Amino acid sequence: MRIGELARLSGVSERSLRYYETQELLRAERTPGGHRDYGEWAVDRVVRIQTLYAAGLNSRKIAQLLPCMRDADGRPNEIATPELVDELTAERDRINRLITDLVRSRDVLDEVIDTASESASTDAASPTR
């Protein structure tokens, strides 16, 4: 498939797809006319890349990680090193800490909203002079 179709199917801009290529996260064959040609596998790869970026990993870490992920057919990939596993465990722990902090922040915000809502309701019910 051409880059435009991959962009449409994955929801990622053509510019991002070209960037992924420069970072060696994605590769394309070239047609005789020089156009990029991606296999069907590329949609899953782009979705994985997007998910890893959303998790806070940088392109260097993603480039290390992608070859270690399960292949599309479910077979495990054997490239993972103990060092990479340690780094990924640290990344997961960092994400878990962020989640805990976000939940705590949301809970505080909920308390503020509840208090403000009660105050606004009381003020609205009070007679004006």
Side-chain angles (χ1 to χ4, degrees):
M1 81 183 78
R2 297 276 174 95
I3 193 168
E5 184 178 359
L6 179 57
R8 183 180 57 76
L9 291 173
S10 65
V12 175
S13 70
E14 292 181 23
R15 181 177 180 199
S16 292
L17 296 174
R18 287 184 194 99
Y19 173 76
Y20 295 166
E21 280 189 50
T22 65
Q23 298 301 304
E24 298 182 2
L25 304 177
L26 185 65
R27 65 175 169 69
E29 300 296 324
R30 295 290 181 156
T31 66
H35 296 283
R36 289 172 173 84
D37 187 30
Y38 299 95
E40 295 298 319
W41 57 267
V43 176
D44 289 335
R45 169 63 62 104
V46 171
V47 169
R48 284 183 181 181
I49 293 167
Q50 288 293 108
T51 301
L52 294 169
Y53 272 125
L57 286 100
N58 61 41
S59 59
R60 182 184 57 79
K61 185 64 66 189
I62 293 171
Q64 287 180 302
L65 176 61
L66 282 173
C68 302
M69 297 180 79
R70 290 189 178 271
D71 291 333
D73 63 5
R75 292 179 300 152
N77 192 312
E78 302 291 334
I79 299 174
T81 64
E83 294 80 16
L84 181 59
V85 171
D86 289 345
E87 290 176 32
L88 295 175
T89 300
E91 285 292 330
R92 183 198 55 212
D93 293 345
R94 181 189 66 79
I95 291 168
N96 283 336
R97 285 190 304 275
L98 287 172
I99 291 169
T100 299
D101 291 345
L102 286 169
V103 168
R104 189 176 307 121
S105 296
R106 184 195 61 205
D107 291 346
V108 169
L109 186 56
D110 284 344
E111 289 176 22
V112 171
I113 290 169
D114 290 345
T115 302
S117 295
E118 290 171 9
S119 176
S121 296
T122 303
D123 291 346
S126 298
T128 57
R129 295 185 191 189

